Amino acid sequence: MIKTKAFAAYDAKTPLKPFSLERREPNADDVVIQISHCGICHSDIHTVRSEWGPAKYPCVPGHEIVGHVIQVGKKVKAFKVGDTAGVGCFVDSCGKCENCKANEEQYCQRQTVYTYNSYETDGKTPTYGGYSSHITVREKYCLKIKKSLPLAAVAPLLCAGITTYSPLKRYNVKKGSKVGVVGLGGLGHMAVKLAKAMGAEVTVFSTSPNKSGDAKKLGAKYFIISKNPKNILDKSGYFDLIIDTVSAEHDINPYLQSLKKDGTVVLLGVPPTPHKINAFSLIGGRKRLTGSLIGGIKETQEMLDFCAKKKVFSDIELISADQINEAYERTIKGDVKYRFVIDATTF
Ligand code: NAP
Ligand code: ZN
Ligand code: ZN
């Protein structure tokens, strides 16, 4: 077994604390990664605080993982010792269902095994995430990362990057597309950078007036304070696509109104309470409201290659393990520029 140092939540209310666990020795198709960095996603916070239902404690969060391969199983072909690798939000799936076969393992019809707060396919071995020193994962669920890239700034691509890239591609964002991004946090800032890199004109809707300068630097043309719905309605009928990354309760009706005919609002954020939708917001202009969950392994690799080529990485604040709890409080306040990333050598 591989001795692994980690940080875990022991319940929904108290701060995360040091935790030890053992990773499995590699099976024939496994890769063992010594983690160098792991991003802090707002989903980690929702999960450990049981905001989406009771978490499985102790819970080691983290699904924006990069590191170096230190061992490989006998049949591993795609990775060798010394390679740089990434792991995102899931570490296994059935591999046989319609969605797995279509390279969308995140929608596995049997069981997507999430990187943490989940069970392996045996239904009983808990999964522990990337707030840890090592992880063992099947090679099929690992991503290839070029050695020369800035690894701390690459880590957030494994969730924030793919989660925003996938709907931008699906709804065909290209030169001249008008894209709105709601919420300038971890996902939001990646959505701005990626939409800009695809040639779109980007508008940020934010509750934080002090993020205006940053939004422009990240690639947005317009910055709109969303606290007053009138500001959103000034853009009625304007957008092809709006990506909503907000983690807390907010009104999405004004965003639906700011779409063009046949435009789409994609929900990525998961507030703990349900949205209220006025049917007229959808009916007038045949608007679409949809959601999207991360992305499959194939698309995640495509996104990583796109980001490497376009030099699109996350803006990060690097922290040590003992700063995780403080980082959670700052993330909740919207005070993060724009992703906290843990230096995994500090576990
Ligand atoms: P984050 O860094 O905390 O960013 C969320 C942003 O939402 C904040 O920076 C803030 O932006 C805005 N916001 C916060 N409270 C708000 C409020 N009361 N009203 C309006 N806006 C508010 O979080 P994240 O890591 O990007 O994650 C965002 C959400 O996406 C979370 O719910 C997370 O669980 C979810 N998520 C979903 C997927 C998926 O596959 N669909 C994947 C990853 C994460 P401003 O300061 O600019 O207003
Ligand atoms: Zn995430
Ligand atoms: Zn499946």
Side-chain angles (χ1 to χ4, degrees):
M1 299 300 249
I2 298 154
K3 278 200 178 350
T4 298
K5 288 195 249 170
F7 256 57
Y10 289 77
D11 59 52
K13 295 248 159 59
T14 50
L16 278 72
K17 290 194 277 282
F19 176 66
S20 299
L21 63 118
E22 291 188 329
R23 301 290 189 186
R24 64 177 183 266
E25 290 291 339
N27 292 322
D29 65 344
D30 276 339
V31 168
V32 182
I33 297 168
Q34 178 158 19
I35 300 175
S36 65
H37 301 91
C38 182
I40 293 182
C41 175
H42 207 116
S43 302
D44 303 348
I45 304 174
H46 291 303
T47 304
V48 301
R49 298 196 173 181
S50 287
E51 290 172 1
W52 292 341
K56 300 171 179 64
Y57 299 106
C59 177
V60 176
H63 57 205
E64 294 183 336
I65 301 166
V66 294
H68 303 287
V69 175
I70 55 164
Q71 274 187 72
V72 293
K74 275 191 231 103
K75 292 194 176 150
V76 168
K77 291 210 178 74
F79 293 87
K80 58 179 190 322
V81 171
D83 282 354
T84 307
V87 179
C89 300
F90 57 90
V91 289
D92 212 346
S93 69
C94 85
K96 294 181 186 124
C97 73
E98 201 182 325
N99 295 344
C100 282
K101 280 191 182 146
N103 299 307
E104 295 194 309
E105 305 90 347
Q106 77 277 29
Y107 302 124
C108 177
Q109 291 166 327
R110 296 202 181 98
Q111 187 198 2
T112 303
V113 177
Y114 293 102
T115 307
Y116 64 84
N117 199 45
S118 190
Y119 292 111
E120 298 282 0
T121 47
D122 65 7
K124 59 179 188 199
T125 308
T127 59
Y128 296 116
Y131 296 9
S132 58
S133 56
H134 299 82
I135 192 166
T136 306
V137 181
R138 292 180 67 198
E139 69 165 327
K140 226 177 119 186
Y141 296 84
C142 294
L143 287 307
K144 288 181 163 288
I145 292 168
K146 286 198 186 76
K147 263 206 177 68
S148 56
L149 298 181
L151 287 192
V154 168
L157 301 181
L158 277 305
C159 174
I162 181 58
T163 301
T164 49
Y165 179 89
S166 183
L168 292 168
K169 287 294 276 193
R170 168 152 291 269
Y171 298 101
N172 197 24
V173 167
K174 54 183 187 301
K175 198 168 163 27
S177 300
K178 291 189 166 63
V179 174
V181 175
V182 189
L184 197 61
L187 264 58
H189 94 292
M190 287 313 308
V192 173
K193 289 188 181 207
L194 289 165
K196 174 77 179 170
M198 292 174 189
E201 177 205 283
V202 185
T203 300
V204 168
F205 294 98
S206 172
T207 58
S208 309
N210 63 348
K211 292 182 184 171
S212 159
D214 287 346
K216 303 263 165 75
K217 272 188 231 150
L218 292 165
K221 184 161 181 195
Y222 304 111
F223 181 85
I224 294 176
I225 306 293
S226 56
K227 278 187 175 150
N228 181 353
K230 199 177 150 297
N231 295 340
I232 307 170
L233 294 171
D234 281 348
K235 287 271 182 198
S236 274
Y238 189 79
F239 295 100
D240 298 294
L241 181 70
I242 294 180
I243 303 280
D244 184 332
T245 73
V246 174
S247 51
E249 198 174 324
H250 63 293
D251 184 9
I252 61 170
N253 291 286
Y255 296 110
L256 289 165
Q257 278 169 263
S258 73
L259 291 174
K260 277 182 195 162
K261 178 172 76 67
D262 292 315
T264 305
V265 167
V266 183
L267 296 179
L268 297 180
V270 195
T273 49
H275 286 295
K276 289 194 184 80
I277 313 225
N278 182 340
F280 281 120
S281 306
L282 292 169
I283 290 169
R286 201 167 45 201
K287 312 288 174 56
R288 273 184 302 219
L289 173 62
T290 184
S292 185
L293 179 70
I294 38 181
I297 295 294
K298 184 164 181 257
E299 194 174 40
T300 304
Q301 191 64 60
E302 177 190 305
M303 175 276 311
L304 287 167
D305 296 344
F306 175 88
C307 288
K309 190 166 145 215
K310 300 269 185 182
K311 299 201 168 26
V312 171
F313 307 112
S314 176
D315 286 16
I316 64 145
E317 295 189 48
L318 191 65
I319 61 166
S320 52
D322 58 4
Q323 293 174 297
I324 292 172
N325 294 299
E326 188 191 326
Y328 274 23
E329 295 310 323
R330 284 188 50 201
T331 301
I332 291 163
K333 285 192 208 129
D335 173 25
V336 45
K337 301 244 155 70
Y338 276 90
R339 200 59 142 183
F340 286 111
V341 172
I342 307 160
D343 172 351
T345 61
T346 61
F347 284 111

PDB file of all heavy atoms in Angstrom, residues 256-287:
ATOM      1  N   LEU A 256     -32.255  34.874 -19.053  1.00  0.00           N
ATOM      2  CA  LEU A 256     -33.003  34.266 -20.169  1.00  0.00           C
ATOM      3  C   LEU A 256     -33.510  35.366 -21.092  1.00  0.00           C
ATOM      4  O   LEU A 256     -33.470  35.240 -22.321  1.00  0.00           O
ATOM      5  CB  LEU A 256     -34.159  33.418 -19.633  1.00  0.00           C
ATOM      6  CG  LEU A 256     -33.721  32.114 -18.943  1.00  0.00           C
ATOM      7  CD1 LEU A 256     -34.847  31.514 -18.117  1.00  0.00           C
ATOM      8  CD2 LEU A 256     -33.234  31.091 -19.983  1.00  0.00           C
ATOM      9  N   GLN A 257     -33.932  36.483 -20.486  1.00  0.00           N
ATOM     10  CA  GLN A 257     -34.427  37.585 -21.324  1.00  0.00           C
ATOM     11  C   GLN A 257     -33.318  38.238 -22.139  1.00  0.00           C
ATOM     12  O   GLN A 257     -33.571  38.796 -23.198  1.00  0.00           O
ATOM     13  CB  GLN A 257     -35.129  38.632 -20.449  1.00  0.00           C
ATOM     14  CG  GLN A 257     -36.556  38.224 -20.157  1.00  0.00           C
ATOM     15  CD  GLN A 257     -37.183  39.091 -19.081  1.00  0.00           C
ATOM     16  OE1 GLN A 257     -37.213  38.718 -17.922  1.00  0.00           O
ATOM     17  NE2 GLN A 257     -37.657  40.252 -19.481  1.00  0.00           N
ATOM     18  N   SER A 258     -32.098  38.160 -21.663  1.00  0.00           N
ATOM     19  CA  SER A 258     -31.016  38.825 -22.403  1.00  0.00           C
ATOM     20  C   SER A 258     -30.481  37.953 -23.558  1.00  0.00           C
ATOM     21  O   SER A 258     -29.570  38.364 -24.280  1.00  0.00           O
ATOM     22  CB  SER A 258     -29.889  39.227 -21.454  1.00  0.00           C
ATOM     23  OG  SER A 258     -29.182  38.090 -21.051  1.00  0.00           O
ATOM     24  N   LEU A 259     -31.073  36.758 -23.742  1.00  0.00           N
ATOM     25  CA  LEU A 259     -30.674  35.915 -24.890  1.00  0.00           C
ATOM     26  C   LEU A 259     -31.349  36.386 -26.167  1.00  0.00           C
ATOM     27  O   LEU A 259     -32.469  36.889 -26.150  1.00  0.00           O
ATOM     28  CB  LEU A 259     -31.106  34.462 -24.663  1.00  0.00           C
ATOM     29  CG  LEU A 259     -30.422  33.643 -23.577  1.00  0.00           C
ATOM     30  CD1 LEU A 259     -31.134  32.294 -23.448  1.00  0.00           C
ATOM     31  CD2 LEU A 259     -28.944  33.445 -23.888  1.00  0.00           C
ATOM     32  N   LYS A 260     -30.685  36.104 -27.301  1.00  0.00           N
ATOM     33  CA  LYS A 260     -31.322  36.219 -28.622  1.00  0.00           C
ATOM     34  C   LYS A 260     -32.370  35.127 -28.768  1.00  0.00           C
ATOM     35  O   LYS A 260     -32.331  34.141 -28.014  1.00  0.00           O
ATOM     36  CB  LYS A 260     -30.289  35.917 -29.715  1.00  0.00           C
ATOM     37  CG  LYS A 260     -29.416  37.046 -30.098  1.00  0.00           C
ATOM     38  CD  LYS A 260     -28.505  36.544 -31.231  1.00  0.00           C
ATOM     39  CE  LYS A 260     -27.364  37.499 -31.430  1.00  0.00           C
ATOM     40  NZ  LYS A 260     -26.257  36.929 -32.174  1.00  0.00           N
ATOM     41  N   LYS A 261     -33.179  35.194 -29.803  1.00  0.00           N
ATOM     42  CA  LYS A 261     -34.080  34.079 -30.132  1.00  0.00           C
ATOM     43  C   LYS A 261     -33.230  32.797 -30.267  1.00  0.00           C
ATOM     44  O   LYS A 261     -32.151  32.842 -30.865  1.00  0.00           O
ATOM     45  CB  LYS A 261     -34.811  34.369 -31.451  1.00  0.00           C
ATOM     46  CG  LYS A 261     -35.737  33.232 -31.889  1.00  0.00           C
ATOM     47  CD  LYS A 261     -36.591  33.629 -33.089  1.00  0.00           C
ATOM     48  CE  LYS A 261     -35.808  33.638 -34.401  1.00  0.00           C
ATOM     49  NZ  LYS A 261     -35.363  32.308 -34.851  1.00  0.00           N
ATOM     50  N   ASP A 262     -33.725  31.713 -29.723  1.00  0.00           N
ATOM     51  CA  ASP A 262     -33.036  30.418 -29.776  1.00  0.00           C
ATOM     52  C   ASP A 262     -31.705  30.384 -29.009  1.00  0.00           C
ATOM     53  O   ASP A 262     -30.920  29.459 -29.185  1.00  0.00           O
ATOM     54  CB  ASP A 262     -32.811  29.948 -31.227  1.00  0.00           C
ATOM     55  CG  ASP A 262     -34.119  29.601 -31.920  1.00  0.00           C
ATOM     56  OD1 ASP A 262     -34.945  28.909 -31.291  1.00  0.00           O
ATOM     57  OD2 ASP A 262     -34.320  30.028 -33.078  1.00  0.00           O
ATOM     58  N   GLY A 263     -31.484  31.405 -28.211  1.00  0.00           N
ATOM     59  CA  GLY A 263     -30.254  31.412 -27.411  1.00  0.00           C
ATOM     60  C   GLY A 263     -30.357  30.443 -26.239  1.00  0.00           C
ATOM     61  O   GLY A 263     -31.427  29.921 -25.929  1.00  0.00           O
ATOM     62  N   THR A 264     -29.206  30.216 -25.577  1.00  0.00           N
ATOM     63  CA  THR A 264     -29.126  29.170 -24.544  1.00  0.00           C
ATOM     64  C   THR A 264     -28.464  29.696 -23.273  1.00  0.00           C
ATOM     65  O   THR A 264     -27.399  30.314 -23.342  1.00  0.00           O
ATOM     66  CB  THR A 264     -28.272  27.985 -25.079  1.00  0.00           C
ATOM     67  OG1 THR A 264     -28.843  27.546 -26.314  1.00  0.00           O
ATOM     68  CG2 THR A 264     -28.228  26.830 -24.103  1.00  0.00           C
ATOM     69  N   VAL A 265     -29.108  29.414 -22.147  1.00  0.00           N
ATOM     70  CA  VAL A 265     -28.442  29.594 -20.850  1.00  0.00           C
ATOM     71  C   VAL A 265     -28.017  28.203 -20.372  1.00  0.00           C
ATOM     72  O   VAL A 265     -28.838  27.288 -20.317  1.00  0.00           O
ATOM     73  CB  VAL A 265     -29.373  30.235 -19.792  1.00  0.00           C
ATOM     74  CG1 VAL A 265     -28.763  30.113 -18.391  1.00  0.00           C
ATOM     75  CG2 VAL A 265     -29.642  31.709 -20.107  1.00  0.00           C
ATOM     76  N   VAL A 266     -26.733  28.066 -20.067  1.00  0.00           N
ATOM     77  CA  VAL A 266     -26.235  26.789 -19.535  1.00  0.00           C
ATOM     78  C   VAL A 266     -25.946  26.958 -18.047  1.00  0.00           C
ATOM     79  O   VAL A 266     -25.127  27.796 -17.667  1.00  0.00           O
ATOM     80  CB  VAL A 266     -24.926  26.341 -20.232  1.00  0.00           C
ATOM     81  CG1 VAL A 266     -24.487  24.978 -19.708  1.00  0.00           C
ATOM     82  CG2 VAL A 266     -25.096  26.294 -21.731  1.00  0.00           C
ATOM     83  N   LEU A 267     -26.612  26.168 -17.237  1.00  0.00           N
ATOM     84  CA  LEU A 267     -26.339  26.192 -15.806  1.00  0.00           C
ATOM     85  C   LEU A 267     -25.156  25.287 -15.499  1.00  0.00           C
ATOM     86  O   LEU A 267     -25.176  24.103 -15.839  1.00  0.00           O
ATOM     87  CB  LEU A 267     -27.554  25.700 -15.014  1.00  0.00           C
ATOM     88  CG  LEU A 267     -28.822  26.540 -15.111  1.00  0.00           C
ATOM     89  CD1 LEU A 267     -29.931  25.903 -14.277  1.00  0.00           C
ATOM     90  CD2 LEU A 267     -28.590  27.984 -14.679  1.00  0.00           C
ATOM     91  N   LEU A 268     -24.127  25.872 -14.900  1.00  0.00           N
ATOM     92  CA  LEU A 268     -22.997  25.074 -14.415  1.00  0.00           C
ATOM     93  C   LEU A 268     -22.962  25.103 -12.888  1.00  0.00           C
ATOM     94  O   LEU A 268     -22.693  24.104 -12.244  1.00  0.00           O
ATOM     95  CB  LEU A 268     -21.679  25.615 -14.967  1.00  0.00           C
ATOM     96  CG  LEU A 268     -21.517  25.569 -16.481  1.00  0.00           C
ATOM     97  CD1 LEU A 268     -20.157  26.137 -16.889  1.00  0.00           C
ATOM     98  CD2 LEU A 268     -21.664  24.154 -17.018  1.00  0.00           C
ATOM     99  N   GLY A 269     -23.260  26.260 -12.315  1.00  0.00           N
ATOM    100  CA  GLY A 269     -23.282  26.393 -10.861  1.00  0.00           C
ATOM    101  C   GLY A 269     -24.439  25.616 -10.271  1.00  0.00           C
ATOM    102  O   GLY A 269     -25.472  25.431 -10.924  1.00  0.00           O
ATOM    103  N   VAL A 270     -24.236  25.161  -9.049  1.00  0.00           N
ATOM    104  CA  VAL A 270     -25.255  24.333  -8.386  1.00  0.00           C
ATOM    105  C   VAL A 270     -25.616  24.942  -7.029  1.00  0.00           C
ATOM    106  O   VAL A 270     -25.142  24.477  -5.986  1.00  0.00           O
ATOM    107  CB  VAL A 270     -24.745  22.889  -8.170  1.00  0.00           C
ATOM    108  CG1 VAL A 270     -25.906  21.956  -7.836  1.00  0.00           C
ATOM    109  CG2 VAL A 270     -24.003  22.370  -9.385  1.00  0.00           C
ATOM    110  N   PRO A 271     -26.456  25.991  -7.025  1.00  0.00           N
ATOM    111  CA  PRO A 271     -26.861  26.553  -5.734  1.00  0.00           C
ATOM    112  C   PRO A 271     -27.633  25.505  -4.928  1.00  0.00           C
ATOM    113  O   PRO A 271     -28.302  24.651  -5.522  1.00  0.00           O
ATOM    114  CB  PRO A 271     -27.804  27.711  -6.117  1.00  0.00           C
ATOM    115  CG  PRO A 271     -27.588  27.949  -7.563  1.00  0.00           C
ATOM    116  CD  PRO A 271     -27.077  26.670  -8.154  1.00  0.00           C
ATOM    117  N   PRO A 272     -27.529  25.566  -3.614  1.00  0.00           N
ATOM    118  CA  PRO A 272     -28.219  24.548  -2.800  1.00  0.00           C
ATOM    119  C   PRO A 272     -29.747  24.602  -2.897  1.00  0.00           C
ATOM    120  O   PRO A 272     -30.402  23.623  -2.557  1.00  0.00           O
ATOM    121  CB  PRO A 272     -27.756  24.860  -1.372  1.00  0.00           C
ATOM    122  CG  PRO A 272     -26.564  25.739  -1.506  1.00  0.00           C
ATOM    123  CD  PRO A 272     -26.674  26.445  -2.807  1.00  0.00           C
ATOM    124  N   THR A 273     -30.311  25.721  -3.368  1.00  0.00           N
ATOM    125  CA  THR A 273     -31.781  25.806  -3.477  1.00  0.00           C
ATOM    126  C   THR A 273     -32.202  25.858  -4.951  1.00  0.00           C
ATOM    127  O   THR A 273     -31.451  26.345  -5.801  1.00  0.00           O
ATOM    128  CB  THR A 273     -32.298  27.087  -2.782  1.00  0.00           C
ATOM    129  OG1 THR A 273     -31.519  28.183  -3.246  1.00  0.00           O
ATOM    130  CG2 THR A 273     -32.208  26.991  -1.273  1.00  0.00           C
ATOM    131  N   PRO A 274     -33.424  25.377  -5.287  1.00  0.00           N
ATOM    132  CA  PRO A 274     -33.851  25.344  -6.698  1.00  0.00           C
ATOM    133  C   PRO A 274     -34.090  26.742  -7.286  1.00  0.00           C
ATOM    134  O   PRO A 274     -34.445  27.667  -6.558  1.00  0.00           O
ATOM    135  CB  PRO A 274     -35.183  24.577  -6.653  1.00  0.00           C
ATOM    136  CG  PRO A 274     -35.286  23.981  -5.306  1.00  0.00           C
ATOM    137  CD  PRO A 274     -34.422  24.759  -4.384  1.00  0.00           C
ATOM    138  N   HIS A 275     -33.923  26.844  -8.622  1.00  0.00           N
ATOM    139  CA  HIS A 275     -34.226  28.096  -9.331  1.00  0.00           C
ATOM    140  C   HIS A 275     -35.724  28.226  -9.541  1.00  0.00           C
ATOM    141  O   HIS A 275     -36.437  27.226  -9.690  1.00  0.00           O
ATOM    142  CB  HIS A 275     -33.566  28.079 -10.715  1.00  0.00           C
ATOM    143  CG  HIS A 275     -32.085  28.278 -10.672  1.00  0.00           C
ATOM    144  ND1 HIS A 275     -31.493  29.438 -10.241  1.00  0.00           N
ATOM    145  CD2 HIS A 275     -31.062  27.460 -11.044  1.00  0.00           C
ATOM    146  CE1 HIS A 275     -30.180  29.323 -10.329  1.00  0.00           C
ATOM    147  NE2 HIS A 275     -29.891  28.129 -10.804  1.00  0.00           N
ATOM    148  N   LYS A 276     -36.194  29.476  -9.638  1.00  0.00           N
ATOM    149  CA  LYS A 276     -37.594  29.721 -10.004  1.00  0.00           C
ATOM    150  C   LYS A 276     -37.595  30.276 -11.415  1.00  0.00           C
ATOM    151  O   LYS A 276     -36.921  31.269 -11.696  1.00  0.00           O
ATOM    152  CB  LYS A 276     -38.207  30.769  -9.073  1.00  0.00           C
ATOM    153  CG  LYS A 276     -38.439  30.294  -7.668  1.00  0.00           C
ATOM    154  CD  LYS A 276     -39.363  31.274  -6.932  1.00  0.00           C
ATOM    155  CE  LYS A 276     -39.518  30.860  -5.481  1.00  0.00           C
ATOM    156  NZ  LYS A 276     -38.373  31.285  -4.642  1.00  0.00           N
ATOM    157  N   ILE A 277     -38.368  29.623 -12.308  1.00  0.00           N
ATOM    158  CA  ILE A 277     -38.354  30.064 -13.704  1.00  0.00           C
ATOM    159  C   ILE A 277     -39.738  30.518 -14.135  1.00  0.00           C
ATOM    160  O   ILE A 277     -40.714  29.783 -13.972  1.00  0.00           O
ATOM    161  CB  ILE A 277     -37.904  28.915 -14.626  1.00  0.00           C
ATOM    162  CG1 ILE A 277     -36.697  28.308 -14.011  1.00  0.00           C
ATOM    163  CG2 ILE A 277     -37.732  29.400 -16.064  1.00  0.00           C
ATOM    164  CD1 ILE A 277     -35.593  27.965 -14.593  1.00  0.00           C
ATOM    165  N   ASN A 278     -39.789  31.701 -14.704  1.00  0.00           N
ATOM    166  CA  ASN A 278     -41.030  32.210 -15.262  1.00  0.00           C
ATOM    167  C   ASN A 278     -41.156  31.635 -16.690  1.00  0.00           C
ATOM    168  O   ASN A 278     -40.251  31.822 -17.515  1.00  0.00           O
ATOM    169  CB  ASN A 278     -40.926  33.744 -15.289  1.00  0.00           C
ATOM    170  CG  ASN A 278     -42.173  34.395 -15.808  1.00  0.00           C
ATOM    171  OD1 ASN A 278     -42.995  33.762 -16.489  1.00  0.00           O
ATOM    172  ND2 ASN A 278     -42.328  35.676 -15.501  1.00  0.00           N
ATOM    173  N   ALA A 279     -42.258  30.931 -16.976  1.00  0.00           N
ATOM    174  CA  ALA A 279     -42.392  30.295 -18.297  1.00  0.00           C
ATOM    175  C   ALA A 279     -42.227  31.309 -19.427  1.00  0.00           C
ATOM    176  O   ALA A 279     -41.658  30.991 -20.484  1.00  0.00           O
ATOM    177  CB  ALA A 279     -43.752  29.600 -18.393  1.00  0.00           C
ATOM    178  N   PHE A 280     -42.690  32.532 -19.220  1.00  0.00           N
ATOM    179  CA  PHE A 280     -42.556  33.556 -20.275  1.00  0.00           C
ATOM    180  C   PHE A 280     -41.085  33.816 -20.634  1.00  0.00           C
ATOM    181  O   PHE A 280     -40.768  34.177 -21.761  1.00  0.00           O
ATOM    182  CB  PHE A 280     -43.206  34.870 -19.840  1.00  0.00           C
ATOM    183  CG  PHE A 280     -44.711  34.858 -19.988  1.00  0.00           C
ATOM    184  CD1 PHE A 280     -45.527  35.055 -18.893  1.00  0.00           C
ATOM    185  CD2 PHE A 280     -45.300  34.650 -21.238  1.00  0.00           C
ATOM    186  CE1 PHE A 280     -46.914  35.042 -19.029  1.00  0.00           C
ATOM    187  CE2 PHE A 280     -46.676  34.634 -21.384  1.00  0.00           C
ATOM    188  CZ  PHE A 280     -47.491  34.828 -20.274  1.00  0.00           C
ATOM    189  N   SER A 281     -40.188  33.638 -19.654  1.00  0.00           N
ATOM    190  CA  SER A 281     -38.757  33.880 -19.930  1.00  0.00           C
ATOM    191  C   SER A 281     -38.244  32.926 -21.004  1.00  0.00           C
ATOM    192  O   SER A 281     -37.297  33.233 -21.723  1.00  0.00           O
ATOM    193  CB  SER A 281     -37.902  33.661 -18.682  1.00  0.00           C
ATOM    194  OG  SER A 281     -38.349  34.403 -17.609  1.00  0.00           O
ATOM    195  N   LEU A 282     -38.868  31.737 -21.102  1.00  0.00           N
ATOM    196  CA  LEU A 282     -38.429  30.747 -22.092  1.00  0.00           C
ATOM    197  C   LEU A 282     -39.249  30.818 -23.374  1.00  0.00           C
ATOM    198  O   LEU A 282     -38.724  30.638 -24.479  1.00  0.00           O
ATOM    199  CB  LEU A 282     -38.570  29.328 -21.509  1.00  0.00           C
ATOM    200  CG  LEU A 282     -37.633  28.973 -20.376  1.00  0.00           C
ATOM    201  CD1 LEU A 282     -38.061  27.671 -19.724  1.00  0.00           C
ATOM    202  CD2 LEU A 282     -36.197  28.843 -20.883  1.00  0.00           C
ATOM    203  N   ILE A 283     -40.553  31.084 -23.196  1.00  0.00           N
ATOM    204  CA  ILE A 283     -41.471  31.025 -24.341  1.00  0.00           C
ATOM    205  C   ILE A 283     -41.179  32.131 -25.357  1.00  0.00           C
ATOM    206  O   ILE A 283     -41.078  31.876 -26.558  1.00  0.00           O
ATOM    207  CB  ILE A 283     -42.930  31.094 -23.828  1.00  0.00           C
ATOM    208  CG1 ILE A 283     -43.275  29.789 -23.093  1.00  0.00           C
ATOM    209  CG2 ILE A 283     -43.900  31.342 -24.971  1.00  0.00           C
ATOM    210  CD1 ILE A 283     -44.586  29.839 -22.327  1.00  0.00           C
ATOM    211  N   GLY A 284     -41.026  33.348 -24.847  1.00  0.00           N
ATOM    212  CA  GLY A 284     -40.753  34.474 -25.760  1.00  0.00           C
ATOM    213  C   GLY A 284     -39.356  34.309 -26.320  1.00  0.00           C
ATOM    214  O   GLY A 284     -38.381  34.457 -25.596  1.00  0.00           O
ATOM    215  N   GLY A 285     -39.253  33.978 -27.604  1.00  0.00           N
ATOM    216  CA  GLY A 285     -37.919  33.825 -28.218  1.00  0.00           C
ATOM    217  C   GLY A 285     -37.391  32.399 -28.164  1.00  0.00           C
ATOM    218  O   GLY A 285     -36.214  32.164 -28.456  1.00  0.00           O
ATOM    219  N   ARG A 286     -38.271  31.439 -27.786  1.00  0.00           N
ATOM    220  CA  ARG A 286     -37.907  30.014 -27.851  1.00  0.00           C
ATOM    221  C   ARG A 286     -36.525  29.752 -27.214  1.00  0.00           C
ATOM    222  O   ARG A 286     -35.633  29.137 -27.806  1.00  0.00           O
ATOM    223  CB  ARG A 286     -37.898  29.579 -29.320  1.00  0.00           C
ATOM    224  CG  ARG A 286     -38.040  28.096 -29.525  1.00  0.00           C
ATOM    225  CD  ARG A 286     -38.336  27.744 -30.961  1.00  0.00           C
ATOM    226  NE  ARG A 286     -37.495  28.454 -31.900  1.00  0.00           N
ATOM    227  CZ  ARG A 286     -37.780  28.656 -33.202  1.00  0.00           C
ATOM    228  NH1 ARG A 286     -38.905  28.176 -33.707  1.00  0.00           N
ATOM    229  NH2 ARG A 286     -36.966  29.321 -33.986  1.00  0.00           N
ATOM    230  N   LYS A 287     -36.371  30.277 -25.988  1.00  0.00           N
ATOM    231  CA  LYS A 287     -35.064  30.170 -25.327  1.00  0.00           C
ATOM    232  C   LYS A 287     -34.850  28.763 -24.798  1.00  0.00           C
ATOM    233  O   LYS A 287     -35.788  28.032 -24.529  1.00  0.00           O
ATOM    234  CB  LYS A 287     -34.998  31.156 -24.144  1.00  0.00           C
ATOM    235  CG  LYS A 287     -35.455  32.571 -24.454  1.00  0.00           C
ATOM    236  CD  LYS A 287     -34.478  33.302 -25.312  1.00  0.00           C
ATOM    237  CE  LYS A 287     -34.958  34.663 -25.775  1.00  0.00           C
ATOM    238  NZ  LYS A 287     -35.347  35.584 -24.723  1.00  0.00           N
TER     239      LYS A 287
END
